[in-house]
Structure formats: C-alpha cells, structure tokens
Amino acid sequence: MMMCLAFAACSSYEQVQNDLRAPAYPLITIDPYTSAWSPTDNLYDSQVMHWTEKNFPFLGTLRVDGKLYRFMGQEQPAISALAPMSVEEPWFGRYTFEKPRGDKWIEPDFNDKSWKEGEAAFGLHATNVKTRWATKDIWVRRVVEIDPAEMENHKIFVLYSHDDNFELYINGDKIIDTGNAARENVLQEIPAEIIAKANGKFTIAAHCYNGPGNALVDFGIYKQANDAVVMEQTAQQKGVDVQATRTIYDFACGPVDLKLTFMAPLFLEDLELVSRPVNYVTYEVKSNDGAEHDVEVFFEASADWARNMPTQKSKSEAFADDKFNYVKSGTESQKVLGHRGDDIRIDWGYFYMAADKATNNGVGDAVAMRKAFAEKGEVASAGEGTQMAMAKQLGKVGTKAVSSYIMVGYDDIYSIQYFGENIRPYWNRNSDSSIEKQFALAAEQYSSLVKRCEKFDAELMHDAIEVGGKHYADMCALAYRQAIAAHKLIETPQGELAWLSKENNSNGSIGTVDVTYPSAPMFLYYNPELAKGLLNFIFYYSESGKWKKPFAAHDVGTYPLANGQTYGGDMPVEECGNMLILTGAICKMEGKADYALKHWDVLTTWTDYLVENGGDPANQLCTDDFAGHWARNANLAIKAIVGIAAYGDIAKMAGKNDVAEKYTAKAKEMAAEWKKMAAQGDHYRLTFDEGDTWSQKYNLVWDKMLGYNVFDADIAPAEIAYYLTKQNEYGLPLDCRRGYTKSDWIMWSATMAADKATFEKFMAPLHKYYCETTDRVPMSDWTNTDAKTRAGFKARSVVGGYWIKLLDEKKLK
C-alpha cells in the first residue's frame, strides 16, 4: 500500500471531521513550556491553561456594531496586592508545629508569643520556601492592617498556595477548607461581612496537614475592582474540529460568524519548522444575515505566559519594527535555565504576540484596555500593569469573508543546559537569528503553510482511517501536536541532533529512554533523523565515559538541565532493550547499518548485558514501574530478546555474519525458552512464576514489524484472542493486577492483530474514554478502563506511539 505523507507527491483528500470530544483542546503548541490548551467544550467557558493546569490567560473578543462577543477565555481577575504573598514580597508570621490547645488560636486576641517567628513561605522543597517545615502539621498566623479606603469599590481575596490539606480563617471565621489537595495561587473571595467587621485589621490563621511528599503554606490579601468584568457576553460556539496541525472553532457572534484556527505547522521532515517558536491564530469573519457590519477583533494575553508564578514581577512592552506591531513580556529576574522540575513554567526569555501594522498594540491595565476596546474598538497602552493586548478594525464585513491572523511566539534565549553548557534553540543554533526574524519568516510563509497544513491533516486522517479505522484516526489527530510539543530540539556541541523529551506529569526527567521508546513510532514514521535525535545523547552519555555502567542510562537529567541521570533507580534491561530495538528500527528504515556502526562498542556491551540478564529478568524497574516491579516479568523478557535479535539483524546488515548468526541464534533459543516458561493454557503469564496471570505483551510487536520472527508465530494470535475477553468499558487493562491501562501499549498490542476489524475492537473503548472522561487535561496515557478518570499522567510525548499501526504498514521487514 502506498502511504500518502505530507511530503509525498500524491493527491489531496477532503478534510474529515474529527468526532472526538477532546479531554482538552490544543491551542498553542511550541514546546513543553509554551503549551496552551482549552479544558472545556466551549472555548469561552474557562481560562486557557498550560498543560500543568495553571492558567495561561488568553482572551479573545469580537466587537460587532459596538456589541462585544467573547469567544475565547475568561477575563482574568485584575488583582493587586494589599498584603502580598512571599513570592512577591517577603512577609513574616508566627508558627508552631505543636497543636494549639482549643480553638482560640484562630482569634485576633490569641496570645501567640510562645510561637516562633518565621519568613514565608513555609514548607519543603518548593522554590520559595524560607522556613523549613518537615513535620505533619503546621499552624501559621499573620496579622496585617489595611487602610479601608484602599478596599472601597473592590472585592477582596485571599490568594494562597498549599500542600496538602489546608484551612484558613479570617478573624476567627473559616473561609477555606480544601480537603486533601495541593494547589498554587488559588483565589478565594473574603465575604463582604467579614471585611466590614474587620475595619482594616486582619488576623489570618491557617493550619496545613502535610502527607507524603512536598509541603507548602503561603497566603496574602489582594483586591479586584468591582467594575473589572467588561466582556461578559459570549459568542455561541457552533463546533470544534481537532486536526493534526490545527484546531478549528466556529462561532456565531450575533449577526456575523467567526472561524478561529490555531495552527502549528509542525512538519517533522522540516527541522526549521519543528523548532520555529511561532504559532498562528487565524480569524475569519463574515456576515450571517446578508447585511454589512462593523467588526473589530481583540486579543489579550497575560504575563503569566512568561513566568512560573503569577506573583513574579514582570515587565511588558508594546513596540514595532518595519514589518509588525508587537507586544512582549518577561520576568524582571531573567534567571536563564534557573530551575528544573515537572510542574514548572518558564520564567526566562520573552513571550510575544505579533501582527500586521494595521493591528493596534498595547500593554498595561487589563480593565482599562478592555474598556477602551469596548468603547472604540481599538487598544493602546493604558495605566499600570503587564497585560498585553492587540486589536484590529476589520471595517465593514458582509457575506464575503474577511480574514487575518496574529502570531504567538516565545524566545527562550537558551533552551537546554547540555552537560554543563547552555545551548540555544535549534532555530538559533548558530546565534545568527532573532525572534523578529522568525516572525518575519512565519509571515512570509503563512499562505503556503496554511495549504500544507490542510493537505497534511487531510492525508493523515485518510491514511489512519485506511489502516486503523475512524476511531484510530481521531486519536492520532489529537495526539500529533501533543507528542511533538513535549520535546525541545537542539544541536549538541558535538554537532548532533538532540530531540529531548520532557517527562511531563511524572518527574520532569529529560530524555527519558522509556519515554523515548513508546513515542518513537511517530518519529520513525516521519523522519528517522529525529528518531536518532532521541538516542544520540544516550549514546554520548555512555561513550564519553560520563555514564560508566554496563547498561543504558534512564535519562540525562531533569528538564531543562541535561547534565546526567537524576532518576533514583536504574532500569537496566528496559533501557538496553529500548536502545537496541530503536537502533534496529532506524537501520531498517534506512536500509543500512551505518548509524549502529557508529555506536557498535556500546551496543555490543548492552546486548551482552541482555544475553546474561534479560531472558529471565531479576526484580528490577521497567517502564511500567508505577504498577510495581515484579521479578521474572515476561513482557520485559520479550523486550530483551527482541533487543538481542535487533543486534543480530544489524550485524547481518553490516556484513558481520558470524556475529549475526551467534546473536540471532541466541535470541531464538531464548524465545523458545520464553514460550515454555510463560505458557498458561490459552495465553501467556505476567511473570514466569505466577500461575493464572496475564499482561499485555506489547513488546512483541517489534518482532513482527521488523521481521526478526524469533518468537513462534502462534503466540501473538493467542494473546490477541485472550485480550478480547478482558476488555472493560474503556479499554484493555495493562495486566491482571488492576483496572488501569496505558493507551500507547493498547495501540501496540492491537497492532499485533491479524486484521483491521480486530484492531478496531481495541480502538472503540479507548476512543469512548477520551470522549467521556471527566478529567479535562491534555491526553492522558495512563487511564482507568472501568471509570471515566485517568490514573495519572497527562500531556506526555508517549502518544507518539499511536503511530505504531501506521509504521507497521510501511512493511519494514
């Protein structure tokens, strides 16, 4: 079968509507830091959010004949500090780790002189902690006085961060009780009657219980003007369609219709486009009643796009060059590559919006700029503040559509620290570009990229439907940008590509090999050079002598610092198998062994490790470590055996016939022994020594795909038939131990099916889960099969593994 890729010379297809109700809709997808999503069915029903679920406020409004229709986001509360949190300004409070007697500790007249004085925040491991708290409980009191005149005509809020169970009182009245939760920068309005009684003097008393893990307490008092809401009226959303490179919304804004398209031209064969830090937001407006209407469009973004915490001090500006008008924001501190971790947003570099010279630009007070647009249909810098806005007058709009676009971009200056050296993004690898040049290129290529995106999206849907059915195609379209935007592309000092993943919503590791392995099918399918980029830094880590163990490393650090493994446990069989299988797949794609020969010595070391340790693995971690690690894991043994077979096949391609025969024979011998040890009647066990157990043997798919055929041909059909008897409402469990699953592994297991119809039986329940889940986050790959919830994980690159079925159709044997 001829596959029609984005870069292939073949006819286009009609766009097919994606029927998936996405858990979250991709809007801006540049990299792990600049990643924005809508978590609601209607684009205007919530704030736009980063994948970590922190707000990335992005507001869009159409003004039609003087009336406003908000089509995107919600108006961010424009708050200012009366008694700031510690991340904004230092504060001190009284605290104790010993439970107070009775309830008087919450009252203003309580004598807390026996308590210690400490600087906020209180906690453990959080970046802004000043007073260490490592016990189970802490009680904190803070007294502030505020001039009542400052609170007139304002709503008053507590802004707080906590980890875990948190309760807070104002002058003895409880206003917050979170239960078991951990959140940052949460706003809670203080009731007006409490404000009135306080007469400007507030005793804030808080108690927090810390379970396992981090600990945090921080709080302050803030105000918001009563007239802060300007854009209350919403448009009416009529539809949304998620394609691979675009998310397309349709709205009715009174007498005009609006089509809004978020576009990320991430064509994996074009590394300049993959790395370009610019996305497009296109708006197309036309009359729906036959009459002409005066129309203006408004976009507003928060400085939160360029800071980790909304309380960090930022500076925004509006400026222009000869091509565009811009708005820009960044933190005052600019600590480049200054922190690492999982639940982290970038706070160095600069966020931008750019548009043509006919588009107004302004920064300042959010409410003032919104009011200016409401009154006149234009914006300009107004008042103090860091909000950024752009507006354009479209003139008289009739039945002929009027269209334009803005660009959203981010200049991170330096992207990754690579073994001690700060590395620029790939688009500026030679230090000869600028964000302004990238915007200019993006505008110059806009029209052609729109056509390429339309063509690519239609062809992906067609190809995926043809091999795996409509449900499969829908999920691939949603997964496409997520998988890519969980990476950062750099050129290493050695002149090699490094396509570095962030292990989102797990531990924040960078370049995790057992995240690379499931994501690799997408990159093998579109561009083997990127597949190499997933492996190059692991080879370098071993070959440079920095990693000295006789098996492959788990990772090279914690994002964005790639200075060496930081994960606490090794996965020897897992990672050796992953590296060997993917190296074998690259060589199959290229039809030659050149890539493997560059790394022959270390590949040999890893293969010998698998020969000795992989056939019947000891009690060690594997990629499904969240499920617990059992010794004698049958699926892990498959990976080891296929890895050895890959080495034998590569040796054959390289003309090393004696080596090829030796290791291929060894793989076949181990596969035969595996079958004996794992057999359990009509299926195969989870572990060799546990009786009536089962698990998905997803690693077996590579034996079939790469043509090694070291395992007997009757194993996969037996497993597939057995899996069909174990499916739940929302999919096939990972194994017999629990009801949760991994969506990437379902795709791999299903690809072992002999026909499309059987493959589709595994897709339908998973598609149903994504349509019905109550967890409105970017695609989770760790989901429950018996409930509409995720077990964990979100926004991870492993959904690139959905391309395993498409890759299988390439016939790599």
Side-chain angles (χ1 to χ4, degrees), residues 179-287:
N180 184 19
R183 298 180 295 172
E184 295 181 2
N185 305 306
V186 183
L187 277 174
Q188 174 64 50
E189 185 173 358
I190 303 174
E193 57 269 24
I194 294 178
I195 301 296
K197 288 190 299 181
N199 195 30
K201 187 170 182 178
F202 298 88
T203 297
I204 312 169
H207 165 238
C208 193
Y209 167 80
N210 177 45
N214 295 337
L216 180 63
V217 167
D218 194 7
F219 50 80
I221 296 180
Y222 290 72
K223 67 179 181 179
Q224 176 193 22
N226 285 332
D227 61 353
V229 177
V230 178
M231 299 171 172
E232 188 170 3
Q233 175 67 47
T234 67
Q236 179 185 0
Q237 186 173 309
K238 299 192 296 182
V240 58
D241 182 15
V242 179
Q243 297 291 316
T245 65
R246 297 170 300 146
T247 301
I248 306 157
Y249 287 91
D250 288 297
F251 303 95
C253 301
V256 304
D257 290 337
L258 166 68
K259 176 179 283 189
L260 188 73
T261 302
F262 297 87
M263 187 175 83
L266 296 170
F267 304 117
L268 292 174
E269 76 280 5
D270 188 334
L271 300 185
E272 297 297 334
L273 283 175
V274 169
S275 65
R276 182 178 295 165
V278 177
N279 280 190
Y280 305 88
V281 184
T282 298
Y283 49 93
E284 180 182 286
V285 184
K286 64 180 179 180
S287 171

Side-chain angles (χ1 to χ4, degrees), residues 52-97:
T52 57
E53 299 181 70
K54 302 301 189 295
N55 287 340
F56 258 19
F58 198 19
L59 190 66
T61 298
L62 209 64
R63 185 174 184 264
V64 183
D65 299 330
K67 185 174 181 179
L68 303 183
Y69 298 88
R70 174 169 48 84
F71 57 80
M72 177 172 64
Q74 295 183 328
E75 290 181 80
Q76 182 187 29
I79 63 172
S80 57
L82 295 169
M85 290 177 66
S86 70
V87 289
E88 191 169 350
E89 184 177 295
W91 67 268
F92 291 80
R94 312 289 294 186
Y95 72 96
T96 183
F97 300 135

Side-chain angles (χ1 to χ4, degrees), residues 4-9 244-245 264-276 426 429 445 448-449 451-453 455-457 459-460 480 484 489 497 499 522-531 589 803 810:
C4 185
L5 304 182
F7 47 86
T245 65
L266 296 170
F267 304 117
L268 292 174
E269 76 280 5
D270 188 334
L271 300 185
E272 297 297 334
L273 283 175
V274 169
S275 65
R276 182 178 295 165
Y426 185 83
R429 60 195 177 279
Q445 297 170 3
S448 63
L449 289 175
K451 293 176 182 178
R452 286 180 67 184
C453 285
K455 182 174 184 286
F456 179 89
D457 293 348
E459 290 173 350
L460 173 60
Y480 187 80
I484 297 169
L489 184 65
L497 289 179
W499 185 223
M522 168 186 277
F523 308 112
L524 286 164
Y525 185 72
Y526 290 114
N527 186 355
E529 291 304 314
L530 280 177
M589 293 289 296
W803 268 253
K810 277 184 173 279

Side-chain angles (χ1 to χ4, degrees), residues 609-800:
Y609 183 90
L610 293 181
V611 169
E612 184 174 348
N613 300 283
D616 191 353
N619 188 15
Q620 62 178 259
L621 289 170
C622 68
T623 190
D624 300 324
D625 55 350
F626 53 82
H629 43 101
W630 282 11
R632 314 195 71 191
N633 185 316
N635 187 50
L636 183 58
I638 292 173
K639 178 174 289 185
I641 296 165
V642 176
I644 296 165
Y647 181 81
D649 187 69
I650 296 166
K652 183 179 179 181
M653 294 175 69
K656 299 177 181 288
N657 294 328
D658 291 346
V659 174
E661 290 175 8
K662 174 185 173 181
Y663 284 93
T664 301
K666 186 62 179 178
K668 289 180 178 179
E669 173 193 322
M670 294 170 71
E673 186 64 21
W674 182 96
K675 187 175 184 180
K676 294 175 186 176
M677 293 192 295
Q680 183 64 37
D682 60 352
H683 67 281
Y684 296 85
R685 297 172 179 169
L686 167 63
T687 66
F688 295 134
D689 56 351
E690 293 290 334
D692 193 12
T693 58
W694 69 274
S695 65
Q696 292 189 45
K697 308 301 188 303
Y698 54 82
N699 287 316
L700 197 60
V701 70
W702 293 103
D703 188 51
K704 167 197 170 189
M705 283 177 50
L706 299 178
Y708 301 152
N709 299 317
V710 296
F711 285 89
D712 285 351
D714 60 350
I715 296 174
E719 285 287 285
I720 290 294
Y722 190 78
Y723 298 161
L724 289 171
T725 71
K726 294 297 180 181
Q727 290 211 102
N728 290 327
E729 183 176 6
Y730 297 112
L732 175 67
L734 181 65
D735 57 45
C736 58
R737 290 176 285 181
R738 296 177 182 87
Y740 55 58
T741 193
K742 289 285 273 88
S743 61
D744 44 350
W745 300 150
I746 288 179
M747 297 280 184
W748 290 30
S749 294
T751 298
M752 296 189 296
D755 55 78
K756 178 182 176 182
T758 304
F759 177 86
E760 289 185 272
K761 290 178 181 179
F762 293 99
M763 297 300 103
L766 189 57
H767 188 278
K768 183 180 182 183
Y769 167 81
Y770 286 125
C771 285
E772 297 182 3
T773 179
T774 55
D775 288 331
R776 304 305 298 270
V777 297
M779 254 179 162
S780 172
D781 56 286
W782 183 17
T783 63
N784 291 308
T785 65
D786 51 5
K788 299 177 182 180
T789 55
R790 64 190 177 105
F793 298 161
K794 61 191 173 192
R796 302 206 316 157
S797 64
V798 301
V799 295

